[in-house]
Amino acid sequence: MTDVMILAAGLGTRMKSRRAKVLHELAGRPLIAHVIRAAFALHPASLITIIGHQADEVERAARQAVAQLVDDGNLTPPELFFAVQTEQKGTGHAVMAAREVLQSRTAPLIVTAGDVPMMQGAMLKRLLETHNQEHNDATVLTVKMDEPFGYGRIIRDAEGRYLRCVEQKDGTPEELAVKEINVSIYCFNPASLLGALAHLKADNAQQEFYLTDVPEILLRQGQRLGVFCYEHTEEVRGINTRVELAELERQLRDQKLRELMLAGVTIVDPATTYIHQDVVIGPDTIIHPQVIIEGASRIGAGCVIHSWSRLTNVQMDDDVRVNNSCIIENTTLHSGSSIGPFARLRMNAEIGENAVIGNFVEVKKSKIGKDTKAQHLTYLGDATLGEKVNIGAGTITCNFDGVRKHETIIEDNVKIGSDTMLVAPVRVGKGSVTGAGTVVTKDVPPDSLVVGVPAVVKKKFR
Ligand code: UD1
Ligand code: CA
C-alpha cells in the first residue's frame, strides 16, 4: 500500500513563462502527466497533488492524465486529493498545504516534484521496497551527477552518513563541489513527515520552507533515515528551463524512433521525424523525412507517409499511402486508400478502402465510401459518399447557408461533373451524373443526368 504526493504548485520562474511549469508539454503531454504515469506503477491508493499556480488548469491536467491511464490499463482509479498552496513559499511549505489529508494516511508516502518527467515506475518501486525493507521513517533518493549545478547537494560525514541537503543558493564552494544530489523524490512515513514539518524554518537564501530540511530534522529526532542512491541519473533530471525541456524532448524522441525502427518501421531520416510517445506504427511502414505524427495515432503495417505531412489522432489501417504535404486530424483511413499531395482531412473524416483523396482536396466530417475518388480541388464537408463515386475537379458541397450546416448525400456509382455545386441539404441518387458546372439545389433521383443552374433532369438511364 502506498500513497503518492506530487508537488505542482510552483510557477517555475526559470521557465520565463506565464504557464505553470508542470503544464509545459514534453512529447505531447504535460510534465505532470509523465509523473503521474510513473506513479501509477505503484498502484497508489491515493494521489495527492499540491496545486497553486494555475490551480484549475493543473488539476484538470492531472485528472485527465489519471482518466487516460485508468482507461488504458482498465484500472481502479486512486482516490484523488488536490491541496491548494495559495502562496508558494517552498517545497516544505507545499507539503504543509496537504496536512489535513496526510493526517488521515498511514501507508508510506512517495513525495515527488512535478518536474521530473523521465522518472520511471520501476525506480519508485525500488525506493518503496528499500524504505519498507530497511524499516525507515524516511528514505531520500539521490543520484551522482557530473554537473550538479542547481540541485541540492547531499552532505555526508566522514563515515559517509547523511548529514543534510544544501541548496545551490545556500552552499559553500566546498559543499557545492559535492556531486551527489537530491532529486526531490522521497518516501516518508506520514506521521514522521508531519512531525518534522512543524520544525521547518525559512532561514535560508530563498527564505523558503525547504522539504530538503526534513531528513535532517528526522535524524535529529532519532528517527530512521535511509538513502537510496539510484544509478540511472538521466531518469531524474528536473526540468527548470526551456533548454532542459528541449533536451529531454530530443532524448524521448530519439528513444521512440529507435523503438519503432527496431520493431520494423523504416524511418528514412530520424533527425527530422517527430513521432509522439503514444503513436503506434505497424511493421514495414515507411516514414519519409519531415513527417510529424501526434496524439493517439495508430498507423497500420505497410503504409507509406511522405514528407511534410502532419498526422494528429489518425487511425490508419494497413497499406495506406499519404503523399507529400497532407494535414490530417481526427480521421480514419481504411486500407488501400491514398491521400494527397496537399490534402486536408479533419473532424471525423472517414476514408473508405481503396478510396483516393487527391490534390488540394479538403474533407471535413465526411464519410467517403470504398473505391470512391475525389482527385482534385474539392471541398467535401458534412457529406456521406457511397462506393465507386467519382467527384470531378472543383466540386464543392455548399454545406453552410450562413446560419447552419447541412448534409450532402451522394449514393453509390454517382459521377459528379467538374465544378458542380451541391447546395445542401441535398441527395444525389445512385447511378446519377451531374454535368460540368451544375448547381444542384434539389435532390437528384437515381439513374438520372442533371445539368444546368439550377440543375434539371435531362435524361434517365433506366
Ligand atoms: C528542488 C530541491 C533540490 C533538488 C531539486 C531537484 C528543495 C528546496 N530543493 O529544487 O534539492 O535538487 O528540486 O529537481 O526542495 N513547488 C511547490 N510549491 C513551492 C515550491 C515548489 O509546489 O512553493 C513544486 C514545484 O511546482 C516543482 C517542485 O515543487 O514541481 C520543485 O520545485 P523547484 O522550484 O523546481 O525546486 P528546485 O529549486 O529545483
Ligand atoms: Ca526543479
Side-chain angles (χ1 to χ4, degrees):
M1 252 315 202
T2 181
D3 296 309
V4 174
M5 175 184 284
I6 302 176
L7 310 183
L11 171 63
T13 322
R14 289 161 282 182
M15 293 296 278
K16 306 270 165 67
S17 175
R18 278 190 292 184
R19 292 182 88 196
K21 177 163 62 179
V22 295
L23 293 176
H24 281 259
E25 286 191 359
L26 176 69
R29 280 187 225 127
L31 295 183
I32 193 163
H34 291 266
V35 174
I36 292 176
R37 177 171 291 256
F40 256 62
L42 301 173
H43 302 291
S46 76
L47 189 65
I48 306 158
T49 309
I50 313 298
I51 52 178
H53 263 283
Q54 292 191 294
D56 294 346
E57 287 88 341
V58 174
E59 177 171 340
R60 208 174 314 130
R63 284 188 188 277
Q64 207 178 334
V66 167
Q68 200 189 330
L69 288 159
V70 165
D71 216 39
D72 290 352
N74 218 347
L75 308 167
T76 353
E79 198 174 349
L80 298 184
F81 296 99
F82 292 90
V84 182
Q85 183 196 19
T86 27
E87 259 186 296
Q88 285 73 47
K89 297 192 202 154
T91 46
H93 185 255
V95 179
M96 291 178 199
R99 226 187 234 130
E100 254 171 59
V101 186
L102 286 184
Q103 275 158 356
S104 66
R105 315 303 297 184
T106 50
L109 174 78
I110 299 281
V111 176
T112 166
D115 63 351
V116 272
M118 304 291 270
M119 172 169 65
Q120 299 297 315
M123 177 193 77
L124 293 179
K125 278 188 189 160
R126 281 178 55 198
L127 171 63
L128 183 64
E129 271 164 27
T130 307
H131 180 84
N132 288 335
Q133 278 162 11
E134 295 179 357
H135 305 287
N136 294 332
D137 295 303
T139 311
V140 180
L141 190 95
T142 71
V143 295
K144 299 217 169 79
M145 234 178 231
D146 289 339
E147 286 170 34
F149 183 87
Y151 291 94
R153 312 297 205 281
I154 305 297
I155 310 302
R156 294 174 181 261
D157 68 10
E159 273 79 54
R161 284 175 302 213
Y162 185 103
L163 285 179
R164 63 182 175 275
C165 175
V166 175
E167 290 304 294
Q168 178 73 37
K169 291 192 175 136
D170 302 303
T172 63
E174 245 165 65
E175 288 170 329
L176 296 180
V178 170
K179 293 197 187 302
E180 187 182 8
I181 59 135
N182 171 48
V183 297
S184 273
I185 302 171
Y186 317 80
C187 187
F188 293 108
N189 289 347
S192 303
L193 175 59
L194 280 168
L197 287 179
H199 298 280
L200 284 185
K201 291 198 188 77
D203 54 355
N204 50 56
Q206 306 188 79
Q207 303 202 316
E208 288 186 349
F209 296 94
Y210 290 165
L211 182 58
T212 46
D213 289 343
V214 166
E216 184 188 346
I217 293 169
L218 293 177
L219 278 177
R220 247 187 280 138
Q221 294 174 339
Q223 303 208 41
R224 207 177 157 84
L225 178 76
V227 179
F228 174 53
C229 189
Y230 188 60
E231 60 278 15
H232 302 295
T233 311
E234 66 289 353
E235 285 179 22
V236 293
R237 263 177 214 289
I239 289 190
N240 293 313
T241 67
R242 298 196 203 220
V243 174
E244 287 161 347
L245 186 63
E247 280 166 5
L248 286 197
E249 183 79 44
R250 174 167 204 110
Q251 203 176 314
L252 278 177
R253 179 157 79 88
D254 288 349
Q255 246 173 46
K256 177 73 184 179
L257 294 175
R258 213 184 132 73
E259 276 167 28
L260 287 170
M261 289 186 277
L262 290 173
V265 177
T266 297
I267 311 265
V268 177
D269 182 18
T272 64
T273 305
Y274 298 79
I275 299 178
H276 279 177
Q277 298 296 300
D278 296 337
V279 173
V280 179
I281 305 182
D284 286 325
T285 284
I286 302 172
I287 314 280
H288 286 274
Q290 308 205 4
V291 164
I292 302 173
I293 309 180
E294 309 172 309
S297 293
R298 189 184 46 77
I299 312 293
C303 298
V304 182
I305 302 172
H306 283 275
S307 298
W308 311 299
S309 289
R310 177 179 190 159
L311 279 52
T312 310
N313 300 323
V314 169
Q315 305 303 308
M316 194 185 286
D317 293 346
D318 298 345
D319 305 311
V320 171
R321 182 184 176 90
V322 175
N323 293 301
N324 289 342
S325 302
C326 294
I327 309 294
I328 310 181
E329 296 155 17
N330 304 308
T331 288
T332 302
L333 303 172
H334 292 295
S335 70
S337 57
S338 171
I339 313 298
F342 300 102
R344 176 155 192 232
L345 280 58
R346 60 194 180 98
M347 277 178 88
N348 301 321
E350 184 176 346
I351 312 301
E353 264 177 64
N354 302 319
V356 180
I357 299 297
N359 313 256
F360 302 100
V361 174
E362 177 178 354
V363 181
K364 185 217 95 179
K365 215 174 167 185
S366 293
K367 195 172 168 183
I368 310 298
K370 201 174 149 191
D371 299 317
T372 285
K373 296 188 168 93
Q375 302 259 34
H376 336 263
L377 301 161
T378 283
Y379 174 59
L380 298 169
D382 305 296
T384 304
L385 276 61
E387 297 182 6
K388 296 200 169 83
V389 170
N390 192 74
I391 303 287
T395 295
I396 291 174
T397 54
C398 312
N399 61 331
F400 189 46
D401 62 10
V403 184
R404 249 176 286 152
K405 299 277 167 69
H406 300 282
E407 274 184 69
T408 300
I409 295 167
I410 302 175
E411 296 180 352
D412 297 349
N413 299 304
V414 164
K415 291 189 175 34
I416 300 289
S418 293
D419 203 23
T420 296
M421 301 292 122
L422 297 151
V423 183
V426 75
R427 171 190 290 266
V428 181
K430 68 177 167 44
S432 283
V433 176
T434 69
T438 302
V439 177
V440 182
T441 55
K442 278 193 277 194
D443 288 0
V444 174
D447 302 308
S448 324
L449 167 68
V450 292
V451 295
V453 182
V456 290
V457 177
K458 182 103 188 269
K459 189 160 128 189
K460 295 289 285 179
F461 300 122
R462 281 167 199 247

